[in-house]
Amino acid sequence: GKVLLLLGDNASARQQYEQALGSAKTSLSPKVEAAALNNLGISYQNLGQLQLAQDYYQRSLALRRTLYEPVHVEIAQNLNNLGILYRALGKYCESLQALDEAQEILRRLESTDYISTLTTAKTLLSLGSVQGEIMRPKTALKTINAARSKLETLPANNDVALERANSELALGIVLLESGQANQAVQHEREALRQYEKLFSSADHPAMINAREELGRALVASGDTPQGIDYLNQTLRALRRLLGGGDHRALTYPLQHLGEAYEKTKRYDDA
């Protein structure tokens, strides 16, 4: 399932995790069941089915709270995933609450092992992204840079490489919202370059998101034609990923593309 997620094949990953969930229930393995529920949440989130993802994350978190002490890294991981999902749903208060709780658990653990450090970096990245979206750019930059410092202490592997790419993306978004479009372009290009090394599919959700954010930054920096090109790439890839039709995930790319067309006086296209 994890390999399929990395390949961007979320539907097949979901099938694998559903099999894992069934096996865990049959063999009465609650820890495996909790992990499968969490991974199903990731799969559904990548497929744009956010309410289903929320259900699986919450079920996983509830089960893990019965299995572990209150201060445990796997509970922090669940809270981080819920925080990211709430952000995608626009539930910023709930997102901050979940991420703050995750961060407090990790602080109380006082562990420097690989899993705890990686989870701390992920949580800081998520927290910084939410801070940026609620217009706290200075705090967001500080939080994201703290995450980047954590990542620098970890050995190189695909999981760490993914979070480093995520940190470039997050930094670019906050810089763009702070009016630093040229710097944002640099970080978004680097994020896309790193994702391209990690994922073979151009339709992987991370790749789609990176192209959208690079398109936005290019438009803001004055390179509107290239920005429009990246935003169109984003829409085509999203429609392939979602199987056509209308979907809430298309809303923001369409809005950004319309604004870019308006900027170039292509009013009918806008």
Side-chain angles (χ1 to χ4, degrees):
K2 184 175 181 180
V3 171
L4 290 164
L5 277 180
L6 286 171
L7 292 171
D9 190 349
N10 294 289
S12 297
R14 182 195 64 202
Q15 292 174 359
Q16 293 296 319
Y17 289 135
E18 284 173 346
Q19 289 181 30
L21 179 60
S23 298
K25 287 181 175 179
T26 302
S27 60
L28 301 177
S29 302
K31 291 183 179 180
V32 176
E33 181 180 347
L37 287 166
N38 180 65
N39 291 330
L40 277 166
I42 296 171
S43 299
Y44 278 112
Q45 185 169 353
N46 286 344
L47 288 166
Q49 298 183 47
L50 303 186
Q51 294 298 334
L52 270 174
Q54 179 177 324
D55 177 60
Y56 279 106
Y57 284 147
Q58 289 175 335
R59 287 168 60 190
S60 177
L61 177 61
L63 182 54
R64 280 177 167 165
R65 288 195 192 277
T66 69
L67 295 171
Y68 303 112
E69 294 295 320
V71 178
H72 194 282
V73 68
E74 292 198 17
I75 292 175
Q77 288 173 339
N78 258 122
L79 287 164
N80 178 61
N81 288 342
L82 262 175
I84 294 170
L85 179 71
Y86 286 141
R87 174 194 168 206
L89 289 167
K91 299 179 178 180
Y92 295 115
C93 289
E94 291 93 332
S95 179
L96 286 172
Q97 184 178 0
L99 294 169
D100 283 340
E101 185 181 350
Q103 188 63 14
E104 177 61 16
I105 289 171
L106 294 163
R107 186 191 66 77
R108 291 174 63 189
L109 279 172
E110 295 182 344
S111 176
T112 57
D113 65 37
Y114 171 81
I115 293 296
S116 296
T117 303
L118 182 60
T119 303
T120 299
K122 287 181 177 181
T123 303
L124 286 168
L125 277 180
S126 304
L127 188 57
S129 297
V130 176
Q131 289 166 344
E133 290 194 18
I134 60 174
M135 306 307 290
R136 291 162 57 185
K138 289 184 179 179
T139 305
L141 288 172
K142 182 179 178 181
T143 305
I144 292 168
N145 281 321
R148 287 160 68 85
S149 296
K150 291 281 184 186
L151 291 171
E152 290 301 319
T153 69
L154 295 174
N157 59 39
N158 280 349
D159 289 333
V160 174
L162 175 58
E163 295 311 318
R164 285 178 176 162
N166 289 342
S167 76
E168 294 288 349
L169 185 74
L171 197 54
I173 292 171
V174 174
L175 287 167
L176 179 60
E177 298 304 323
S178 304
Q180 302 176 65
N182 290 329
Q183 285 182 265
V185 167
Q186 294 175 17
H187 286 284
E188 303 300 10
R189 284 195 189 280
E190 179 59 21
L192 183 58
R193 186 189 70 82
Q194 292 185 25
Y195 287 135
E196 286 171 343
K197 291 172 66 176
L198 285 166
F199 305 122
S200 58
S201 170
D203 292 349
H204 190 282
M207 296 273 283
I208 294 172
N209 193 28
R211 286 197 295 273
E212 180 181 1
E213 295 302 336
L214 179 54
R216 289 181 61 219
L218 285 164
V219 170
S221 72
D223 191 350
T224 307
Q226 190 174 15
I228 287 173
D229 181 52
Y230 276 107
L231 291 170
N232 272 312
Q233 289 180 42
T234 299
L235 274 173
R236 288 194 295 270
L238 264 177
R239 285 183 167 129
R240 287 194 298 270
L241 182 68
L242 299 169
D246 291 332
H247 197 283
R248 65 174 291 157
L250 298 171
T251 303
Y252 287 119
L254 284 166
Q255 178 183 332
H256 298 146
L257 190 56
E259 291 167 353
Y261 282 139
E262 185 177 9
K263 196 171 182 178
T264 56
K265 299 182 179 180
R266 293 170 60 179
Y267 298 119
D268 289 342
D269 290 328

